Amino acid sequence: MLCRGFTRRELLKTAAGAVAAMAALGKNPSTLFADERRLVKFPEKTDLVLLTSRPPQLETPLHYFKDLITANDALFVRWHIANIPTSVDLRDWKLKVGGNTEKELHLSMEDIKKFEKVTYTAVIQCSGNGRSFFEPRVAGGQWKNGAMGNVTWTGVRLKDILNAAGIKTGSVDVSFDGLDEPPLPTVPDFVKSLPIDKAMEDDIIVAYEMNGSYMPLLNGFPARLIVPGWYATYWVKSLTEITVLPQAFEGFWVKSAYRIPDTPCGCIAPGLVPKTTIPINRMTTRSLIIEPAENVQLPKNKTTEIMGIAFSGGYSIREVIISVDGGKTWKEAELGKDMGRYAWIQWKYLWRPYKPQKYTLMAKATNSVGESQPFEGLWNPAGYLWNRVEKTEVVVI
Ligand SMILES: Nc1nc2c(c(=O)[nH]1)N[C@H]1C(S)=C(S)[C@@H](COP(=O)(O)O)O[C@H]1N2
Ligand SMILES: [Mo]
């Protein structure tokens, strides 16, 4: 697959349709709240929940997480700036690697594929996943819990690419830029950075495949950075430039955005402003009930399988406990196939309710280093790190 793309017109058609539909609802698409959303189909994607159309922000409906692996067309989409790549020709595309290096590399996809191939499954999750549940509410994309997915990534080690360029002494950070460009000079280009020691970790890859196939353009074709265990803000899509820096990176998206309070929980009292902040990094531990879905009716005296997922920022899940009585009593769920420490694990719990009434189902995960989930949402001003124990109400009849 040498050249892929959709025309700007096709994208705009979808986007314009979405905007028109929003306008008909009397809504400004960028200020929609979670309960006012609708499904749209963008190029190469299935029907996803629309948050904004320019730039595209599309959320995965929860029922897709019944599958252990999130399909390419179902994975959420998030771009920051409106000028996103709509076609890429691999005959022209090159990954430039330079800065504080011995040589400057201009790697074609063929060149990249000469490095040792690495494959693993890792959860991709937006820092703002779950933001719509924050109390008090915070500004930003009003995601429910669908800004995540469990994907098998294939690519080559960033470390191998950096070593091929030869890192000079005194290197501090490495920055990553993609094909998307700001529409106006006043908008900062989306560029992210990692400290050099982090960038040299074995598991960070430049991926060119998702689930054994090419990436949809909206998810970063032809290659993106994967920083497993860390939030997806670092997973720069449609990568074109890697720059080794002899000083700290000063770009907006690290210096001013995507920062969390510098406290052990990354949280502060609701409504306050943090004294000091640090760049967001590792994901918190989470679990989610996928089935039964919220508010479904279940027959009494019949065994129901409660199933869901659990993951944490690079540590395997040790235990998931389930409550069917709103948190009064807890039982252990059975864990499914282990796909490695960066993947999510599915779990299940068989439940046979006798009494017809409302039930509150809850799941709580703990990882191998003892990190778990709070019962009340922890607060920070940007709406990051959401990992409260969620409640699913069902009715037995
Ligand atoms: N080039 C580029 N890469 C990017 C972004 C972006 O705006 N531009 N957004 C980041 C953020 S914040 C997220 S959550 C993920 C979303 O990845 P997805 O669209 O494949 O789900 O991409 C990351 N990589
Ligand atoms: Mo994000």
Side-chain angles (χ1 to χ4, degrees), residues 225-279:
L225 193 68
I226 305 297
V227 186
W230 282 31
Y231 284 100
T233 179
Y234 296 99
W235 301 30
V236 174
K237 300 193 279 189
S238 304
L239 203 56
T240 45
E241 206 166 331
I242 299 177
T243 310
V244 179
L245 301 166
Q247 72 283 322
F249 178 70
E250 295 292 339
F252 174 83
W253 298 102
V254 176
K255 277 285 140 186
S256 306
Y258 284 104
R259 298 181 72 88
I260 54 172
D262 187 10
T263 59
C265 60
C267 65
I268 51 172
L272 294 191
V273 177
K275 279 198 204 72
T276 50
T277 61
I278 54 167

Side-chain angles (χ1 to χ4, degrees), residues 20-83:
M22 299 290 205
L25 289 169
K27 308 289 183 199
N28 172 349
S30 62
T31 59
L32 271 192
F33 283 123
D35 41 346
E36 302 167 320
R37 306 175 310 167
R38 57 186 287 278
L39 295 175
V40 290
K41 193 185 170 328
F42 271 65
E44 303 179 305
K45 307 300 289 181
T46 187
D47 284 342
L48 298 175
V49 180
L50 179 70
L51 269 75
T52 64
S53 51
R54 296 195 67 197
Q57 294 191 83
L58 312 171
E59 176 163 356
T60 306
L62 283 194
H63 66 85
Y64 284 103
F65 302 151
K66 272 187 265 181
D67 297 330
L68 178 55
I69 297 293
T70 311
N72 291 10
D73 66 351
L75 185 66
F76 81 102
V77 173
R78 198 267 187 266
W79 293 86
H80 289 77
I81 47 188
N83 286 358

